[in-house]
C-alpha cells in the first residue's frame, strides 16, 4: 500500500478522521510556533503540549515529513515518529532523539493554563481551556519529569529518551477517568491502520482520481483529517472548515462539503447538510456557525441550501421522512428571509452586514451596510423553486412557491437589472449602485431561468474577472482591488463553484469549462488555501480549508465524468474504457 500523499504540516495539520486533536505548529490565529504542538479543538483552538525534539539536552533542528498515517521528525542522530491510534490517542516513538513535552501555556492561574502531575508512573496534564486531561503513558524506554515541583508553578513536563536508546509513549485526551492505557497494536501496525482508513475514504469519495487529478488524494486528506466525532454542540460527525484557526462549521461552507462527500459517503454527507439545521431557531434562521463550544447567531449566511439540496438529492437515496424533514427546514429558512429580512414595502430580502452574505468585506457593502443584493434574491428564487419541486413530490401545495419565485425574479429584473449586471440597493437610503465586484454577477446561478440576453451579459462580465488562476472577486483594474483583501480581489472556492454551475446550466459551457480548469490547476499548484491571490495564485490565509478541497473534488469529478463520457454524453462501460 502506498503511504498516501505527503504534505507540509506548516500548511495542513496532521490528524485523523474523528479526532479533535492535531499536531501542528499553528497555535493561534495566523501564529506559527517553532515546534509542533498537540492541539485540541474542543473549546476553541487550544495548544496543549509543545513537542520539542532534543539532542544532548538541546533542541534538535529536524526535517518534518507527513503522510496520512505517519508523521516523522528526521535528524542525522535519529528520528521521532507519531501516529494516531484512535481519535483520542496519539502514539509516539523515538530512536536516537529525545522528545520533550511541555505545557503549551506557561502561565498557570486558577482560570488559565495547564497543570501537570505525575505519581506512581502516571503522568497527566490537565487543561483549563479544553476541560480535558492528557495522560502520557510510557510504553518503552525512559521518561523523566522536569521543571519546578511547587503547586502553581508552570514549566513542568516530561522528556523521553534523554539517556539515549529507543523509547515509545502514548498521549490520550479524555474527561475525568479511564482504564489504564494498553497498546492496541505495535506502532507500525497503528500507522498502517490509519493509512488504510484514509485510503478507503479516498477510494470512496474520489474513485475517479488518476494522474490527471494530482491533487485529489490531498483534497481527500484535508476532508478526512478535518472531520471530528460528535461532541459539544456538534451532535453529528462534522467536517470543520480547518484544524487551523477556522475550526468551525459555517452555514454555507457545510453545503460544499456535503456535496463533495455525497457520492462516496452518503451518511457523512447527510450529516454535513443537517448539522446547521440541527440548530435552526424558531424564526427559521440558521446559525452563522457551530463548533464544539458555541453556536453563533450574530450573523447568518446566504440561503444556498435549496440550490445545494437540488444537487445533493441526486447523489443520495433519501426516504420520504428525510424529504419531509428537508422540506420543513427549507420552508422555515425561506420564510425567515421573506419576513424577518424584508423591509416594509420592499419585494427584496436584505443582508444586514457583509458577513451575512459570506462576502464579508466586498465592495458592494461600502456605501451602506443594510442592503438588498441580487445574489440574495437569486439564491432565494432557487430555494423556492426547489421547494416547489419537493412539495409537488410530497403531495403538498406547491404553486405558491413557484408564484413567489416568479414574482421575485420579475422584481429583480424590473428594479435592479441595469442592462449588463445587477445593482445593489440600500435599505435606508433607497439608493442603488453597482461595483467592480463579482458579487454583482452572482445571479448567474439562476442558470436556464435567465433570459438569454441577461445570461450573455453576465457571462461577458464574468469573463473579465477571469485571471490566469481563476475568478477574481474584484476586477484587478478596480481602485478597490487588494491582493489579500479577502473578498476584494482574491479567488474563492464557493464563488467559483456557484458561478461555474450557473454558467453550465445557462448553456455557457465553454466559459464554465475554463473556470473549472483554471481553479483545478490553481489547487494543484497552490493547495487548498482559504483563498488565493488572483494575480500570482499564491495561497492566502488558512491553508487547510475544506471547502476549497471540496470544490476541487466537485469540479474534478465532474470534469472526469465529462471527459470519459461516450457518444451523446453516455459514460462508457468499464469494458469499453479498457
Amino acid at each position: 500500500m502506498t503511504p498516501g500523499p505527503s504534505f507540509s504540516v506548516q500548511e495542513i495539520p496532521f490528524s485523523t478522521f474523528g479526532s479533535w486533536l492535531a499536531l501542528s505548529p499553528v497555535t493561534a490565529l495566523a501564529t506559527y510556533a517553532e515546534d509542533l504542538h498537540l492541539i485540541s479543538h474542543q473549546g476553541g483552538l487550544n495548544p496543549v503540549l509543545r513537542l520539542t525534539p532534543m539532542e544532548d539536552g538541546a533542541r534538535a533542528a529536524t526535517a518534518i515529513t507527513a503522510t496520512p498515517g505517519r508523521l516523522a521528525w528526521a535528524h542525522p542522530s535519529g528520528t521521532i515518529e507519531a501516529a494516531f491510534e484512535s481519535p483520542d490517542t496519539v502514539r509516539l516513538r523515538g530512536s536516537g532523539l529525545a522528545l520533550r513535552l511541555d505545557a503549551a501555556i506557561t502561565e498557570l492561574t486558577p482560570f488559565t493554563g495547564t497543570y501537570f502531575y505525575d505519581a506512581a508512573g502516571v503522568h497527566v496534564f490537565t487543561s483549563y481551556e479544553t476541560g480535558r486531561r492528557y495522560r502520557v503513558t510510557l510504553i518503552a524506554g525512559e521518561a523523566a519529569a522536569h521543571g519546578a515541583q511547587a503547586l502553581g508553578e508552570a514549566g513542568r513536563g516530561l522528556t523521553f529518551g534523554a539517556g539515549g536508546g529507543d523509547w515509545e509513549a502514548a498521549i490520550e485526551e479524555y474527561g475525568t477517568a479511564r482504564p489504564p492505557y494498553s497498546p492496541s497494536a505495535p506502532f507500525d501496525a497503528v500507522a498502517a491502520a490509519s493509512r488504510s482508513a484514509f485510503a478507503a475514504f479516498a477510494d470512496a469519495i474520489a474513485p475517479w482520481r488518476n494522474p490527471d487529478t494530482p491533487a485529489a488524494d490531498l483534497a481527500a486528506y484535508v476532508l478526512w483529517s478535518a472531520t471530528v466525532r460528535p461532541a459539544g454542540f456538534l451532535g453529528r460527525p462534522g467536517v470543520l472548515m480547518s484544524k487551523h484557526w477556522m475550526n468551525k462549521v459555517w452555514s454555507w461552507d457545510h453545503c460544499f462539503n456535503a456535496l463533495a462527500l455525497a457520492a462516496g459517503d452518503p451518511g457523512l454527507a447527510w450529516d454535513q447538510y443537517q448539522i446547521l439545521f440541527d440548530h435552526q431557531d424558531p424564526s427559521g434562521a440558521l446559525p452563522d456557525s457551530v463548533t464544539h463550544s458555541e453556536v453563533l447567531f450574530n450573523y447568518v449566511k446566504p440561503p444556498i441550501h435549496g440550490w445545494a439540496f437540488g444537487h445533493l438529492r441526486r447523489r443520495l437515496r433519501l426516504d420520504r421522512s428525510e424529504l419531509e424533514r428537508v422540506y420543513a427546514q427549507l420552508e422555515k429558512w425561506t420564510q425567515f428571509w421573506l419576513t424577518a429580512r424584508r423591509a416594509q414595502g420592499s419585494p427584496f430580502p436584505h443582508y444586514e452586514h457583509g458577513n451575512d452574505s459570506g462576502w464579508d468585506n466586498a465592495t458592494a457593502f461600502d456605501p451602506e451596510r443594510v442592503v438588498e443584493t441580487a445574489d440574495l434574491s437569486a439564491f432565494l428564487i432557487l430555494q423556492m423553486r426547489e421547494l416547489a419541486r419537493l412539495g409537488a413530490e410530497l403531495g403538498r401545495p406547491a404553486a405558491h412557491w413557484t408564484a413567489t419565485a416568479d414574482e421575485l425574479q420579475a422584481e429583480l429584473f424590473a428594479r435592479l437589472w441595469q442592462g449588463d449586471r445587477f445593482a445593489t440597493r440600500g435599505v435606508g437610503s433607497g439608493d442603488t449602485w453597482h461595483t467592480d465586484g463579482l458579487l454583482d454577477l452572482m445571479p448567474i446561478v439562476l442558470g436556464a431561468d435567465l433570459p438569454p440576453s441577461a445570461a450573455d451579459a453576465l457571462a461577458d462580465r464574468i469573463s473579465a474577472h477571469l485571471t490566469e488562476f481563476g475568478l477574481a472577486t474584484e476586477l484587478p483594474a478596480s481602485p478597490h482591488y487588494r491582493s489579500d483583501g479577502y473578498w476584494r480581489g482574491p479567488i474563492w472556492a464557493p464563488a467559483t463553484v456557484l458561478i461555474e454551475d450557473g454558467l453550465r446550466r445557462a448553456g455557457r459551457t465553454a466559459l464554465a469549462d475554463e473556470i473549472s480548469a483554471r481553479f483545478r490547476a490553481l489547487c494543484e499548484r497552490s493547495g487548498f488555501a482559504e483563498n488565493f491571490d488572483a494575480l500570482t495564485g499564491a495561497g492566502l490565509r488558512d491553508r487547510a480549508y475544506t471547502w476549497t478541497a471540496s470544490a476541487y473534488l466537485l469540479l474534478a469529478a465532474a470534469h472526469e465524468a465529462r471527459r470519459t463520457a461516450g457518444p451523446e454524453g453516455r459514460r462508457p462501460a468499464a469494458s469499453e474504457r479498457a
Side-chain angles (χ1 to χ4, degrees):
M1 180 188 297
T2 60
S6 60
F7 55 92
S8 167
V9 290
Q10 293 291 321
E11 296 196 351
I12 300 173
F14 179 72
S15 189
T16 194
F17 186 92
S19 182
W20 288 88
L21 299 171
L23 292 177
S24 171
V26 176
T27 56
L29 174 65
T31 300
Y32 290 77
E34 186 177 26
D35 290 316
L36 295 188
H37 285 62
L38 180 70
I39 307 291
S40 176
H41 291 279
Q42 299 195 58
L45 192 169
N46 295 297
V48 178
L49 299 175
R50 183 173 71 249
L51 287 72
T52 307
M54 306 288 290
E55 183 188 32
D56 296 331
R59 183 181 184 276
T62 57
I64 300 174
T65 58
T67 61
R70 187 186 309 246
L71 182 144
W73 295 256
H75 184 271
S77 298
T79 60
I80 300 169
E81 296 176 289
F84 276 85
E85 183 172 7
S86 70
D88 62 15
T89 303
V90 179
R91 290 278 288 273
L92 296 162
R93 74 175 179 184
S95 178
L97 282 179
L99 179 68
R100 177 175 171 134
L101 293 183
D102 290 289
I105 299 174
T106 57
E107 181 184 6
L108 186 62
T109 76
F111 304 107
T112 63
T114 302
Y115 170 65
F116 172 72
Y117 70 87
D118 59 309
V122 176
H123 313 282
V124 179
F125 296 85
T126 67
S127 169
Y128 189 93
E129 285 71 24
T130 69
R132 299 293 184 275
R133 295 168 182 257
Y134 301 85
R135 182 171 66 190
V136 183
T137 300
L138 183 68
I139 299 171
E142 298 179 354
H146 59 256
Q149 297 293 321
L151 183 65
E153 292 286 338
R156 296 204 69 204
L158 284 172
T159 300
F160 300 114
D166 296 346
W167 58 268
E168 188 169 347
I171 305 174
E172 304 165 89
E173 180 182 54
Y174 62 100
T176 54
R178 69 192 305 175
Y181 172 78
S182 178
S184 65
F187 183 94
D188 287 329
V190 165
S194 183
R195 181 182 65 203
S196 178
F198 164 71
F201 177 87
D203 286 344
I205 69 165
W208 40 262
R209 65 197 193 282
N210 59 56
D212 293 330
T213 58
D217 277 309
L218 191 56
Y221 178 76
V222 170
L223 285 173
W224 181 79
S225 64
T227 302
V228 295
R229 58 187 177 177
F233 285 112
L234 292 182
R236 305 166 181 269
V239 180
L240 304 179
M241 292 311 100
S242 171
K243 280 184 180 169
H244 287 324
W245 57 87
M246 301 296 283
N247 58 348
K248 300 181 182 182
V249 182
W250 271 269
S251 186
W252 65 321
D253 312 44
H254 71 117
C255 291
F256 299 96
N257 288 344
L259 289 171
L261 292 165
D265 194 334
L268 186 59
W270 174 251
D271 284 335
Q272 298 328 293
Y273 188 75
Q274 287 293 310
I275 203 163
L276 269 296
F277 283 105
D278 288 344
H279 298 277
Q280 190 169 26
D281 81 357
S283 76
L286 296 179
D288 184 54
S289 64
V290 179
T291 191
H292 177 273
S293 300
E294 65 180 19
V295 181
L296 297 182
F297 281 93
N298 51 337
Y299 301 106
V300 291
K301 285 294 178 279
I304 68 165
H305 302 80
W307 166 85
F309 187 70
H311 286 286
L312 191 63
R313 66 183 305 209
R314 293 193 289 272
R315 294 167 163 86
L316 301 179
R317 294 181 179 179
L318 299 177
D319 61 29
R320 184 180 179 88
S321 67
E322 291 166 327
L323 295 178
E324 292 274 8
R325 179 186 182 94
V326 173
Y327 182 88
Q329 292 166 339
L330 291 179
E331 182 178 44
K332 289 176 62 179
W333 182 216
T334 302
Q335 291 293 358
F336 165 79
W337 290 100
L338 294 178
T339 55
R341 287 299 183 90
R342 281 207 291 195
Q344 186 174 7
S346 175
F348 301 120
H350 60 256
Y351 295 129
E352 294 179 347
H353 189 280
N355 289 4
D356 284 343
S357 73
W359 295 56
D360 306 1
N361 65 334
T363 49
F365 300 94
D366 284 356
E368 297 181 37
R369 289 292 180 266
V370 183
V371 297
E372 298 164 344
T373 62
D375 72 295
L376 174 52
S377 288
F379 292 138
L380 206 58
I381 290 165
L382 290 178
Q383 188 153 291
M384 288 188 286
R385 298 202 188 285
E386 185 60 31
L387 276 168
R389 285 188 290 270
L390 190 53
E393 183 176 336
L394 295 171
R396 294 172 176 265
H400 71 287
W401 290 122
T402 299
T404 307
D406 289 344
E407 290 167 7
L408 184 55
Q409 185 161 328
E411 293 283 3
L412 187 62
F413 276 93
R415 302 195 189 201
L416 296 184
W417 178 245
Q418 296 193 335
D420 60 352
R421 58 183 159 179
F422 289 93
T424 296
R425 186 170 73 172
V427 171
S429 68
D431 294 341
T432 60
W433 58 88
H434 57 72
T435 72
D436 290 324
L438 192 61
L439 187 64
D440 292 4
L441 311 178
M442 287 301 294
I444 192 66
V445 297
L446 291 171
D449 287 345
L450 288 167
S453 60
D456 286 339
L458 290 173
D460 285 345
R461 282 198 165 271
I462 288 167
S463 66
H465 285 259
L466 190 57
T467 72
E468 176 185 352
F469 303 103
L471 290 170
T473 44
E474 183 81 9
L475 284 176
S478 165
H480 303 293
Y481 177 87
R482 300 290 182 272
S483 60
D484 186 11
Y486 231 50
W487 293 90
R488 302 172 81 95
I491 296 163
W492 285 80
T496 299
V497 170
L498 287 161
I499 288 175
E500 192 268 356
D501 175 70
L503 286 166
R504 201 169 294 285
R505 288 184 288 107
R508 277 60 181 178
T509 56
L511 181 56
D513 287 344
E514 192 61 33
I515 290 169
S516 172
R518 294 191 193 189
F519 186 81
R520 287 182 283 114
L522 174 64
C523 292
E524 290 161 5
R525 174 185 185 272
S526 299
F528 303 107
E530 185 180 355
N531 53 69
F532 303 88
D533 188 308
L535 300 182
T536 69
L540 302 172
R541 308 294 178 121
D542 196 310
R543 303 301 295 274
Y545 219 71
T546 54
W547 76 359
T548 309
S550 287
Y552 176 84
L553 292 170
L554 286 167
L555 295 174
H559 173 72
E560 286 302 302
R562 290 191 297 271
R563 187 177 66 84
T564 58
E568 299 180 357
R570 181 180 66 85
R571 188 177 179 88
S575 59
E576 296 175 300
R577 296 197 300 272

